[in-house]
Each structure stands twice: as structure tokens, then as C-alpha cells.
Amino acid sequence: MAILKLYGWPESTATWRVAIVLHEAKVPFEFVNVNILNADYKTPEYLEKQPFGQIPYIDDDGFILFESRAIGRYIAAEHPESKLIPTDPKKHALFEQAASIEFANFDFNADPLIKALARKRFLGQDSDQAPLDAKMETLEGRLDVYEKILAKQRYIAGDEITLADLFHLPRAQFIETYIKSGVMTSSSRPHVARWYDELLSRPSWKAFEGGVKGILEY
Amino acid sequence: MPFKIYGFPPSTCTRRVALVCKELNVPYELIPVSIPKGEHKAPEYLKRQPFGVVPAIDDDGFTMFESRPVARYLVAKYGKGSTLVPDPKDIIATAKFEQAVSVENNHFDEPAGELFLQLVIKPMRGLPKDEERVKTLLATLNSKLDVYEMVLAKQPYLGGDILTLADLFHLPWLYGLTEKAKLDLVTSRPNVARWYQEISSRPAWQAVKDGA
């Protein structure tokens, strides 16, 4: 059985999203750096594996999979002992609800903010600030709703941690660190701050401080 | 106790849930939440759906929201024998399904939804179109559908050989863009056209396409 290979970029939030789940499930993996500055993800060979030309993808002993959340779910399914997806039907439904909340509310609004920063950083392009400010305001409005949810339960799907919480972490940390400090840690949203802090303290996050790298042994 | 959908009949996400109810022959009661009247932001509704969007459901006291998770729940609870979601014991088929669901969410939903807003909703409300934005969105959506064309050349459905929720999730926006916005997204793409023709002619979609 060949070791699982994660093709990505050390600082990509989607690559982080997969790395966290690999660590949580204690899956050894090799990290293959896709040179984004060279647009390696747009070569014909790369597009054979990931036809949308994005990172990351995995090659698990010949099985190719892309979309970081799908990869996370695959790893969690292969390693049910990691308990990242509930099996009880109602808890499972609420997990799916939480995973959808992450995408529809958090990622949807985080994405343009992160892309604008990437354009600035890699292409030197400035973006119109007013729409970005509006997006940040929307994101914070959604976090106000998270505050209500997390006041009643420990994690976004219920009282147990699931993939839905972990899926938030890379972009939450990125926005807090590089775009607007206080979004996740503000005392005006103490339950969000508590939840964020707990996620940041997990070994699966700390393992990749400084950039995603492969792990051969846990 | 009938399955209750708190929703707005023409809403994309409300129709997405109704579609899956029809696919599984799950009778439902639609309790109207009027978007034009702002009922989705009323305190009583926010108790059901704290983000203030439709739909939300109540299945004999079990409440939840987000149309795609509701669809998954419907299949899990009422879809014995249904192949709309692969058997979780088949990890590979499930992974490919999840990849396809993520593709719909990540690549299709956003440009499609915003295009519909620009081309159909804004004119309806007497608001001007943002032509530059429309151009960008069209370019994005077309590039994504070019990938769909390649994928669907090799397999009949987005998740593989079997029709799943991943395919059906596309219907509300695709129908809206082709029928209401009159965009030609499929004729130059024979595999996408074949796939869209098949999923859109399903009786379940025909029953709810113009209102849940």
C-alpha cells in the first residue's frame, strides 16, 4: 500500500483543511508541493487529476480525489475511530447542517476577502475596498449568529467536535491573522472566541504551524 | 404528521427540498414564509433558522435547515433503497459523491446564483444590471461548465455511474438560468445537454420547478 500523497501548497487554506483531518485521523502522508507561483496546477498533467485546476488533491494508492471537504470526509469515513462524523441519524443530520452552515455563511463571505489579499500579495493588484468592507460586515453578522448557536452548544454541530468545526479553522485563522484581527477573538462574541481558541489548541492545527508538511509516523 | 417545509414556493432552496420530497414520495406541507414581506427575518422564523433564509423543516418535531443537508436527511430517513446517496459502506462511491456535491457548492452555486440575481431578480425589482459583473460571472460559469462537459463525457452523472443528489442539486439554478434568464449554457455542450435534459425531465422536478 503506497503512502497517501497530498498535492498542495504549504500555505493554502484548502490544503490546511485536508492536513488537519489527516492529522486528526493519524494518517501518514507525503506532502507534494505544487508550485503555485509557476502555475503548476494549470499543467495538462495536473488538470488530468484536478480538472478545475485547483489545489489540493490526494492520491491514495491510486485513488484520486479533490475538493478539500470531500477529502476530509473520505479520510473520516476510512477512519471512523477518529469520530469526526456522527453516526446517530439526528446527530448526523445536524452535522450536515453545520457543514452547510460553514460553506454558506463562513466560507462564502471569507472567500472574496482572502482572494483579494492573494491578488495583492501575488499579483500586486489592489481591490476596491468598499465591497470588501461590506463582505467583512456580512461575515461578522454571520458570526453574530454563530455566537447564538455556540452559546447553547460547545461545537457548531452539537456538543461533540466534528469535521464541520475543523473545516472552519484554516480560513478563520487566516482572516484573524492577515485580514482583521479580532474577528474570531473579539470579546463581543465570547462563545465564538472560546470555540475558536479551542480549535486552535488542537494538536492537528499546531502540527502545521509554519506550513503543511508530510508526516510519516505519529 | 406530515413533513413540514417552512419556505417560499418560488425560492431555489425551497424547491430543492420539495424536489427531493417528490423523488422519495414524501408528502409535505408547505408553510409559507413570504420573502417579499420579510417574514424570513421575523423573530418567530429566526428561531427556526437563525440565519434568516428559507427553508427550514420540521419532521415530527425534529427541526433543521440548509436545503442540501435536509435533502440528505430525507434520503437517510425515507429513502430506503434509494441510490440518491451512495451506501456509506461503499467508501469510494461515497467519496466521489462528496466530491461532486462539493463541486456543485464550490464551483457552480455561487456564479449561477449571482447570475440569476443580476439577470432575473434585479430587473424584476427595477434595479440596474451590473454589466461588468455579468460578464465576469458568465466567464466563470462557462469555464466551470466546460469542465463539466469533460467530466460528463466519461461518466453519465457527476458522481459517477448513478444519478445522485449531486446532480439534482443543480436543477433550481440551471432551470432558472436557461428558462428565465434565457442563457444558452448547454447547446454547445452535448454531454451537459444530455445530462441536463435527463435530470430536468424527471417527474419530481417537473412537479416543483415553478413552485414548491
Side-chain angles (χ1 to χ4, degrees):
Chain A
M1 271 264 288
I3 192 172
L4 185 149
K5 290 188 187 149
L6 171 60
Y7 289 78
W9 184 52
E11 293 169 56
S12 129
T13 53
T15 305
W16 284 72
R17 193 174 286 119
V18 174
I20 291 169
V21 183
L22 285 166
H23 194 284
E24 289 276 343
K26 306 220 178 313
V27 177
F29 69 98
E30 191 185 308
F31 180 70
V32 181
N33 200 335
V34 177
N35 190 339
I36 68 159
L37 299 174
N38 248 6
D40 278 359
Y41 52 95
K42 298 288 184 197
T43 63
E45 304 75 52
Y46 192 91
L47 292 172
E48 278 275 305
K49 304 280 167 42
Q50 214 296 18
F52 292 95
Q54 294 183 343
I55 53 172
Y57 77 86
I58 59 159
D59 178 344
D60 189 14
D61 200 20
F63 176 57
I64 308 291
L65 194 66
F66 56 88
E67 295 294 309
S68 62
R69 293 168 186 82
I71 299 170
R73 286 166 174 265
Y74 167 69
I75 294 159
E78 286 259 295
H79 299 273
E81 70 282 2
S82 61
K83 293 195 194 328
L84 291 171
I85 302 181
T87 47
D88 168 78
K90 286 186 174 155
K91 285 186 181 173
H92 188 95
L94 295 175
F95 154 73
E96 291 292 355
Q97 177 180 282
S100 194
I101 286 171
E102 184 264 327
F103 195 77
N105 295 287
F106 192 85
D107 192 272
F108 187 82
N109 293 298
D111 191 66
L113 300 168
I114 294 177
K115 289 210 162 100
L117 192 66
R119 280 194 300 274
K120 173 92 186 165
R121 186 178 165 194
F122 297 112
L123 304 169
Q125 277 174 16
D126 280 312
S127 303
D128 198 7
Q129 198 54 38
L132 293 177
D133 289 343
K135 270 293 160 186
M136 180 57 84
E137 205 182 313
T138 304
L139 181 63
E140 296 211 66
R142 304 301 162 94
L143 287 171
D144 289 339
V145 181
Y146 275 59
E147 180 64 14
K148 296 195 176 95
I149 295 172
L150 293 166
K152 294 185 243 173
Q153 57 196 51
R154 192 165 168 201
Y155 296 103
I156 200 75
D159 287 320
E160 285 143 12
I161 196 164
T162 65
L163 283 185
D165 304 282
L166 300 176
F167 285 169
H168 285 83
L169 191 49
R171 291 195 142 184
Q173 192 266 357
F174 191 95
I175 293 200
E176 175 71 24
T177 309
Y178 300 110
I179 300 180
K180 185 176 176 184
S181 170
V183 170
M184 303 303 301
T185 54
S186 164
S187 56
S188 67
R189 287 186 286 262
H191 296 99
V192 170
R194 183 266 309 152
W195 168 73
Y196 174 66
D197 192 60
E198 261 198 58
L199 293 177
L200 278 184
S201 336
R202 289 185 81 83
S204 56
W205 176 258
K206 289 176 172 301
F208 303 111
E209 270 167 345
V212 174
K213 49 193 182 294
I215 301 180
L216 296 180
E217 254 181 62
Y218 285 85
Chain B
M1 279 270 281
F3 186 83
K4 290 184 188 150
I5 304 176
Y6 291 80
F8 183 56
S11 123
T12 319
C13 300
T14 303
R15 281 179 293 145
R16 196 177 280 122
V17 171
L19 162 63
V20 180
C21 285
K22 292 286 185 193
E23 284 281 346
L24 301 173
N25 289 314
V26 173
Y28 62 87
E29 186 188 334
L30 188 108
I31 294 156
V33 177
S34 166
I35 307 286
K37 291 186 195 161
E39 287 174 0
H40 55 310
K41 305 291 181 191
E44 316 85 69
Y45 185 74
L46 290 176
K47 287 190 194 130
R48 294 191 175 280
Q49 215 296 14
F51 294 94
V53 290
V54 292
I57 64 106
D58 183 330
D59 186 20
D60 201 17
F62 176 66
T63 59
M64 68 179 290
F65 52 88
E66 291 294 309
S67 63
R68 295 169 185 82
V70 168
R72 291 172 180 257
Y73 167 75
L74 280 163
V75 176
K77 180 139 186 226
Y78 298 105
K80 195 177 155 92
S82 168
T83 49
L84 287 178
V85 173
D87 183 346
K89 294 198 228 32
D90 187 342
I91 292 185
I92 301 289
T94 298
K96 290 181 182 174
F97 163 77
E98 294 295 353
Q99 180 180 273
V101 165
S102 189
V103 162
E104 187 267 329
N105 239 339
N106 258 329
H107 297 272
F108 177 80
D109 182 74
E110 200 194 325
E114 210 194 317
L115 256 177
F116 190 81
L117 170 78
Q118 293 287 347
L119 297 175
V120 179
I121 307 280
K122 276 178 143 183
M124 237 163 61
R125 292 181 184 163
L127 295 166
K129 266 187 268 177
D130 182 344
E131 298 289 0
E132 276 308 308
R133 189 74 191 131
V134 169
K135 262 196 225 151
T136 307
L137 290 165
L138 268 173
T140 303
L141 187 61
N142 275 310
S143 74
K144 302 298 182 181
L145 291 174
D146 286 342
V147 180
Y148 276 40
E149 181 62 14
M150 271 170 23
V151 169
L152 293 167
K154 296 183 234 174
Q155 57 194 52
Y157 303 101
L158 289 175
D161 293 326
I162 310 231
L163 175 89
T164 63
L165 289 182
D167 305 286
L168 299 181
F169 284 168
H170 289 78
L171 276 166
W173 286 136
L174 257 182
Y175 175 71
L177 290 174
T178 50
E179 299 300 319
K180 312 280 181 189
K182 305 288 182 202
L183 285 180
D184 183 3
L185 298 171
V186 303
T187 51
S188 62
R189 299 181 175 104
N191 296 299
V192 173
R194 181 254 316 144
W195 165 79
Y196 178 60
Q197 165 61 25
E198 193 190 316
I199 59 174
S200 59
S201 39
R202 288 176 77 83
W205 177 244
Q206 291 296 315
V208 304
K209 65 183 183 178
D210 295 315

